[in-house]
Amino acid sequence: MDKPLRIALAGNPNTGKSTVFNALTGLHQHTVNWSGKTVDCASGFFRIGGKKAELIDLPGIYSLFSEQAEESCAGDFLSFGDMDAILIVLDASCLERNLPLALQLLELSDHVVLCLNLMDEAKKKGICINTEKLSDLLGVPVVPTAARSRKGLPDLLSALEQVLQNPTLPKRLPHLHTNDTDAFSYLQEGCASLLPQVKQYPLLLDFILEQKSALLPALQAQGYDAWQCQEILLRAQAAQKLLTKDIATYQQTRALLFQTQADTIAAAVCKRVSD
């Protein structure tokens, strides 16, 4: 029997993410506990393109640059977990607040679909979003939905099937790095041969630099031997010494850059319409 597809469901709290999860999986759900953590998440199954898929409803988070339990667990899975796609749920009525996380996740996968949920609430607030322009700016499918009434769900499934079959490289924004180019370049050059995927998924370099808790077991799970793991960790430690600020300040600066970019994109695709 073929292994089920594995899709991560991510987004900020209060975006209707659980409603999307329930609508797609119905009663085929169960709760799982993160290994070594006290954070639970829901897992359910559904069919997509004739194949069985597991949908993993991650804790609602605002950013990957955090060590809070929920953010850390979700971030570890999204960065190093074995998944085939990410479905990101955003609240259409406050796009600028939700986009920073989406921009971060676009640096971790080529299989991404944005579910622009609560479109009915956005309409009530007089907010109009140019979804085609948003899709063009980000390079990934953007599907407007109102999950409570199941509007847009067939289109959402079609978009997921499309990216699973034909992944496209999201439009990533290399200028979103801080002024610590020496540390970043040093780490990038040192890890290029050991971790070729960092060229394609640049946010992994941040997590290597931060030496996130899941880094070592994730490397080991992917088949890296003790020497390779040690080399990567040593390179990360050396890169930290090149930072012009401490790692916490570096994380805050990176998060702010994503927020600034999100504000710019939201301003370009959103407008308020009068009644």
Side-chain angles (χ1 to χ4, degrees), residues 36-108:
K37 305 286 186 179
T38 57
V39 177
D40 292 335
C41 68
S43 174
F45 293 90
F46 67 109
R47 306 291 298 184
I48 181 170
K51 296 182 179 179
K52 186 177 183 180
E54 180 183 16
L55 188 64
I56 300 167
D57 187 11
L58 300 172
I61 61 174
Y62 292 101
S63 172
L64 297 178
F65 296 98
S66 171
E67 289 300 326
Q68 297 294 323
E70 287 79 6
E71 276 85 352
S72 181
C73 287
D76 290 347
F77 180 83
L78 290 163
S79 305
F80 307 111
D82 179 19
M83 60 186 171
D84 297 290
I86 305 175
L87 176 57
I88 309 173
V89 182
L90 300 89
D91 180 351
S93 67
C94 50
L95 187 61
E96 68 284 350
R97 189 191 308 167
N98 288 223
L99 268 177
L101 177 64
L103 291 173
Q104 293 165 24
L105 294 178
L106 289 176
E107 292 199 0
L108 288 177

Side-chain angles (χ1 to χ4, degrees), residues 5-7 46 48-49 51 53 83-86 110-113 157-167:
L5 297 168
R6 208 174 192 204
I7 300 171
F46 67 109
I48 181 170
K51 296 182 179 179
M83 60 186 171
D84 297 290
I86 305 175
D110 299 337
H111 301 73
V112 176
V113 172
L157 288 171
S158 296
L160 270 173
E161 184 178 359
Q162 174 190 332
V163 300
L164 285 165
Q165 294 177 346
N166 301 296

Side-chain angles (χ1 to χ4, degrees), residues 175-187:
H175 62 279
L176 286 183
H177 297 295
T178 69
N179 292 327
D180 286 294
T181 52
D182 289 343
F184 203 84
S185 297
Y186 175 84
L187 187 61

Side-chain angles (χ1 to χ4, degrees), residues 232-259:
I232 292 169
L233 292 175
L234 288 174
R235 176 66 63 155
Q237 291 168 1
Q240 278 195 9
K241 295 178 181 178
L242 296 175
L243 290 173
T244 59
K245 48 184 79 73
D246 61 68
I247 193 66
T249 306
Y250 171 84
Q251 290 174 317
Q252 292 170 2
T253 304
R254 282 282 278 143
L256 180 60
L257 289 172
F258 279 102
Q259 181 62 65

Side-chain angles (χ1 to χ4, degrees), residues 91 93-94 120-128 272-273 275:
D91 180 351
S93 67
C94 50
D120 47 348
E121 296 298 322
K123 184 178 180 180
K124 290 178 183 177
K125 295 180 180 180
I127 299 172
C128 180
R272 288 194 174 270
V273 293
D275 295 332

